[in-house]
C-alpha cells in the first residue's frame, strides 16, 4: 500500500493547488449566506417566531 501511495504523492514540496478566483468567491458567498442565516435564526430567538414569521392566532397553521 505504501508503494502505491509513494508513486502518486510527490516526495518533496507537497501538494500544490491552483488558485481560483471563482472558487474563492463561491466560498465567500456561502460563508456570507451562512452568517445571514445564523443571524436570522438568532434574531428569531430573541424577538419570537410570531414577530419573525408574521403569524398570530388569526392565521391558521394549515388546518382548513
Amino acid at each position: 500500500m505504501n508503494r502505491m501511495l509513494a508513486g502518486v504523492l510527490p516526495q518533496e514540496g507537497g501538494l500544490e493547488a491552483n488558485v481560483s478566483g471563482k472558487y474563492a468567491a463561491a466560498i465567500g458567498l456561502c460563508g456570507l449566506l451562512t452568517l445571514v442565516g445564523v443571524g436570522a435564526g438568532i434574531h428569531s430567538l430573541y424577538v419570537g417566531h410570531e414577530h419573525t414569521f408574521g403569524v398570530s392566532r388569526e392565521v391558521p397553521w394549515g388546518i382548513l
Side-chain angles (χ1 to χ4, degrees):
M1 184 72 166
N2 286 337
R3 278 192 229 153
M4 187 168 60
L5 289 177
V8 175
L9 297 175
Q11 298 299 318
E12 296 178 6
L15 297 173
E16 295 182 15
N18 295 332
V19 178
S20 171
K22 290 180 184 179
Y23 180 75
I27 293 296
L29 180 64
C30 288
L32 180 67
L33 290 175
T34 299
L35 290 176
V36 168
V38 169
I42 291 172
H43 175 264
S44 180
L45 285 173
Y46 281 112
V47 299
H49 72 279
E50 293 89 0
H51 175 71
T52 302
F53 298 115
V55 295
S56 66
R57 292 179 181 252
E58 296 173 1
V59 177
W61 286 87
I63 300 172
L64 298 176

